[in-house]
Amino acid sequence: MSNPDIADLKAAGVSGVPSGKILVTNATILTMDDAGTTAGSLLIDGGRIVAVDPSEEQAKGAAIVDMGGKTVVPGLIDAHTHMEMIAYGWNIAVNVKPPLVTSIDDMVERLAEKAATLPAGKWILGQGMHYQNQHIAEGRYPNRWDLDRASTEHPIVVRFSFHINVFNSKALEVLGVDENTPDSDGGYLERTADGVPNGVSNDMWHALNAPDWPYEEVGPALANAQASFLENGITAITEFTLFRGGIDAYLEMERRKDLKIRVALYPKVPSVCPLEDAVSGRLGERFAEADPSRLKLGGMKMFIDGGLTSRAAAMYEPYWDSNLKGDLSFEPEEFSEIVKKLHGAGYQICVHAIGDLAQDVVLDAFAALPERKAANGAFHRIEHAGNCLWTDERAKRFADLGVLPVPQPPFIYTTAAGYRKNLGPVRGADLFPMRRMVMDQKFAIPGNSDAIGIHPKQHVPMFGIWAMVAREMNNGETLTDGENLDVMTSLRMYTRFAARSIGREHEIGSLEPGKFADFVVFDENPLTVPTDTLRDMMPNQTWIGGEQVFARDAREVAAKEAHIPA
């Protein structure tokens, strides 16, 4: 079942747009170069920018694309996303998110409707949202017995984040889960007083060997998700693939020339990519036939703890109103050895670490390296650092080590209120200090979403920019802490800073000679519109490598039948 609140998107086919030498003109072009240049025209040839505000001599023979006074910005880059999980959430999963569902009964009803259309034994995936227990009548997540009311003949799993998954009894049977199944490092099963798993799994998806879906379903779902990325101006992503079949899916999509967006792939070690495959070069060999400008192996993703949503992030002190402190996914010494091997193989390493204990363990591992840059020239990263638990002392350590913290701007809206409840009034008072990190501490924080399909706009860069400017939460409250950023700085995060964070600043992230002609066209200037407009602001056009890959109105934006005389 497709997610009904997401349309079946297809990138518009646009006729009349020239290839070869193109002059994009009559525009306000925010180049995002070092000088902050605003230009009026761009000359493109062979998919790359040849000149900014070119001379008449340079432009001879170019086809003219008149932008009609619109605003052009560099292609927007999501430096941490999960287009693959969005594909699952939108097109494979049953939508069980509020406001469509307001109770567990609603959820069961929608899952039962899906079960009635499938043969017995076929897996059913449901897609919920972060902290859904706080948004439905029962005030809790469902358990196995709730989901059994939808079907006892179909294995069912409902995903509320990557970290929280609830299985019905049939799914637990298929996976071989019973009271003797141990908790994993960094994850745990919730159990009854008698020790029987109740179906709620926290950070154990891979430990339980949960399933992938076949490419026949995943491929079209990825294409649909990609269409939404393109229509929102996203021209490049860093994909942290979390399904075991994800590498194969992207390679097949590129082989079929269906991959339009630029993808740097960072598989999870060791559950998606075994460590030996990474360090031996076997994984890299699989990318030998792929066009590296379109699909490349960017680095490796690791997890040192679980999610704050599941109270599995590793903390020094317990969560609010709880005895839980989370746990590490690896012993520190083992983790450090893996980091050394991946670094020695040249990979950029991006580590999921939310808890304060977890972040310190990762910093210790990075500190043991001779330096913190990968072969692609980018710094190693800690994903989610800066969402919470950010201190001046920890910030100094990041800076001294040259490690990049990567907080998630859209989480200000989607997740901050839940963080506050899990952390309590003291630790939850200082969330997403974006101004302090970017403006005061000078971290080049990349724009990113960590989108997995829980919110229809989480993957949208303009939504993330709005979140940093407005700082509204999904409970109706606003973070009034003075940590708001301005629009230009936020745009820089989703362009130049994002490209730098994955070692691609030499080819994307700004509109400068020699770089790919990846850009986005807006009817209005994002720098001058009211703040509320940013939330729903969408491009008129998206271009990748000098090719128009999305147009909102093909008739309006088709190229003029004109050339500058040669």
Side-chain angles (χ1 to χ4, degrees):
M1 179 183 292
S2 297
N3 189 341
D5 61 7
I6 300 295
D8 185 31
L9 299 165
K10 304 295 180 188
V14 182
S15 60
V17 176
S19 58
K21 195 173 183 180
I22 304 169
L23 181 67
V24 175
T25 189
N26 190 18
T28 298
I29 301 171
L30 308 178
T31 67
M32 296 308 221
D33 65 6
D34 280 336
T37 303
T38 299
S41 61
L42 289 175
L43 184 63
I44 300 166
D45 197 1
R48 293 182 182 265
I49 298 167
V50 176
V52 177
D53 284 335
S55 67
E56 184 177 343
E57 181 66 25
Q58 288 176 305
K60 281 183 178 179
I64 301 171
V65 178
D66 189 325
M67 289 299 177
K70 295 179 172 61
T71 298
V72 172
V73 302
L76 302 172
I77 304 167
D78 189 332
H80 175 154
T81 194
H82 303 279
M83 191 168 80
E84 175 192 38
M85 294 191 76
I86 289 174
Y88 274 82
W90 288 358
N91 289 97
I92 294 174
V94 179
N95 182 2
V96 293
K97 299 190 297 289
L100 188 64
V101 304
T102 60
S103 66
I104 291 174
D105 285 344
D106 290 347
M107 197 180 307
V108 167
E109 181 179 354
R110 290 186 60 77
L111 293 166
E113 289 174 358
K114 182 67 173 180
T117 70
L118 297 174
K122 174 75 172 176
W123 274 87
I124 298 172
L125 175 67
Q127 178 64 63
M129 64 176 279
H130 282 177
Y131 295 107
Q132 187 154 328
N133 58 324
Q134 299 176 15
H135 297 275
I136 58 177
E138 294 84 356
R140 64 176 176 86
Y141 291 109
N143 58 40
R144 64 189 292 179
W145 299 286
D146 295 316
L147 299 187
D148 287 348
R149 291 192 283 124
S151 177
T152 57
E153 296 183 341
H154 300 80
I156 299 173
V157 57
V158 181
R159 186 177 72 191
F160 297 98
S161 68
F162 175 70
H163 306 284
I164 299 177
N165 298 277
V166 183
F167 299 87
N168 74 342
S169 296
K170 183 65 174 179
L172 295 176
E173 175 191 328
V174 169
L175 298 176
V177 176
D178 58 25
E179 59 270 23
N180 297 314
T181 301
D183 292 342
S184 67
D185 291 332
Y188 62 97
L189 296 171
E190 294 185 13
R191 304 172 190 268
T192 67
D194 297 329
V196 176
N198 71 1
V200 181
S201 161
N202 296 278
D203 287 283
M204 286 192 64
W205 179 268
H206 287 121
L208 298 180
N209 200 29
D212 285 5
W213 269 249
Y215 186 80
E216 289 73 21
E217 295 180 61
V218 175
L222 270 172
N224 188 55
Q226 175 181 245
S228 180
F229 276 62
L230 296 176
E231 80 150 6
N232 283 289
I234 304 168
T235 58
I237 64 172
T238 299
E239 167 70 51
F240 292 128
T241 180
L242 299 176
F243 284 88
R244 291 190 174 97
I247 298 170
D248 289 334
Y250 274 103
L251 285 168
E252 179 64 13
M253 196 175 182
E254 196 279 334
R255 187 188 70 80
R256 298 185 186 196
K257 304 305 177 189
D258 292 332
L259 193 63
K260 305 299 182 184
I261 201 167
R262 302 191 194 280
V263 178
L265 207 62
Y266 288 64
K268 182 185 175 187
V269 173
S271 52
V272 172
C273 173
L275 179 61
E276 180 57 31
D277 284 3
V279 299
S280 70
R282 282 198 295 267
L283 178 61
E285 291 170 0
R286 297 174 61 190
F287 289 77
E289 301 300 319
D291 175 0
S293 72
R294 198 68 58 175
L295 177 65
K296 66 194 305 182
L297 181 61
M300 292 292 156
K301 172 77 179 289
M302 291 190 69
F303 280 68
I304 189 60
D305 66 349
L308 197 65
T309 53
S310 58
R311 296 194 172 195
M315 311 278 285
Y316 286 112
E317 300 297 331
Y319 289 89
W320 179 251
D321 195 27
S322 170
N323 292 323
L324 292 172
K325 294 169 64 175
D327 197 7
L328 296 172
S329 304
F330 298 90
E331 290 299 323
E333 296 79 9
E334 180 189 8
F335 177 78
S336 185
E337 284 303 309
I338 295 174
V339 165
K340 287 177 183 177
K341 289 178 180 178
L342 292 175
H343 176 80
Y347 291 111
Q348 184 186 14
I349 306 166
C350 302
V351 184
H352 166 113
I354 298 181
D356 45 7
L357 169 60
Q359 290 182 46
D360 287 347
V361 168
V362 179
L363 289 172
D364 288 344
F366 284 149
L369 299 175
E371 43 85 26
R372 262 67 61 187
K373 274 194 175 182
N376 66 1
F379 289 113
H380 296 317
R381 304 174 11 172
I382 298 184
E383 312 302 308
H384 313 301
N387 285 352
C388 55
L389 307 168
W390 189 251
T391 66
D392 288 344
E393 294 77 16
R394 193 165 285 114
K396 184 177 186 305
R397 196 167 183 218
F398 271 84
D400 289 346
L401 290 173
V403 174
L404 183 64
V406 183
Q408 284 63 54
F411 279 25
I412 296 170
Y413 179 81
T414 65
T415 314
Y419 275 11
R420 280 187 158 181
K421 288 189 176 182
N422 270 353
L423 292 172
V426 176
R427 288 177 296 174
D430 186 18
L431 300 176
F432 302 93
M434 306 304 292
R435 171 168 285 275
R436 194 186 328 156
M437 296 179 76
V438 178
M439 306 301 289
D440 300 337
Q441 296 164 345
K442 306 301 182 184
F443 288 106
I445 303 296
N448 73 101
S449 66
D450 192 20
I452 64 167
I454 63 162
H455 187 278
K457 283 186 174 292
Q458 186 174 337
H459 69 299
V460 177
M462 295 309 297
F463 179 80
I465 288 171
W466 166 80
M468 287 188 284
V469 175
R471 292 183 70 77
E472 291 183 19
M473 299 186 291
N474 64 5
N475 64 355
E477 298 177 14
T478 299
L479 294 171
T480 56
D481 49 14
E483 291 287 352
N484 314 62
L485 282 176
D486 62 276
V487 178
M488 177 56 95
T489 301
S490 302
L491 269 174
R492 191 172 291 116
M493 291 167 62
Y494 275 96
T495 53
R496 192 173 196 116
F497 289 0
R500 184 183 306 169
S501 76
I502 54 173
R504 303 193 75 171
E505 195 175 13
H506 63 288
E507 56 183 1
I508 56 176
S510 62
L511 300 174
E512 300 180 79
K515 294 190 178 184
F516 286 117
D518 298 355
F519 57 90
V520 182
V521 184
F522 289 100
D523 289 334
E524 299 179 271
N525 190 332
L527 302 182
T528 60
V529 300
T531 296
D532 287 346
T533 300
L534 294 169
R535 177 174 181 161
D536 299 309
M537 194 171 186
M538 298 182 74
N540 183 292
Q541 307 167 47
T542 302
W543 294 62
I544 298 178
E547 176 190 358
Q548 191 179 75
V549 294
F550 172 78
R552 195 158 301 283
D553 185 338
R555 292 167 300 173
E556 178 182 339
V557 303
K560 289 188 174 181
E561 292 295 327
H563 283 71
I564 298 174

